[in-house]
Amino acid sequence: MAVVKVIELLGESEQSWEDATKQVVAEATKTLHGVTSVYIKEFQATVENDKVKNFRVDAKVSFLLERK
């Protein structure tokens, strides 16, 4: 039996929501092992001078808990 834990992380990118998601996964996998999925709960963007400046995602990252 496997147990999965879910944590919520925020990511930001000047490129796209997809890039923000990739950055969340890249950072999460630096310290978490067994990441199995990422669920994007919410999308946001900041606007500056009538243009989108940053793309933001509120992501839920799932990973397997390791047994000792």
Side-chain angles (χ1 to χ4, degrees), residues 32-52:
L32 300 174
H33 301 284
V35 172
T36 58
S37 67
V38 60
Y39 166 76
I40 304 305
K41 181 177 166 184
E42 188 174 311
F43 295 89
Q44 298 176 357
T46 59
V47 177
E48 191 174 288
N49 297 323
D50 299 330
K51 294 185 180 180
V52 173

Side-chain angles (χ1 to χ4, degrees), residues 5 9 13 41 53 67:
K5 182 170 177 125
L9 301 172
S13 168
K41 181 177 166 184
K53 179 168 173 61
R67 290 188 166 193

Side-chain angles (χ1 to χ4, degrees), residues 10-28:
L10 302 174
E12 184 174 83
S13 168
E14 292 181 354
Q15 306 301 314
S16 66
W17 285 298
E18 182 180 350
D19 187 55
T21 302
K22 288 179 179 180
Q23 287 187 36
V24 164
V25 173
E27 285 299 313

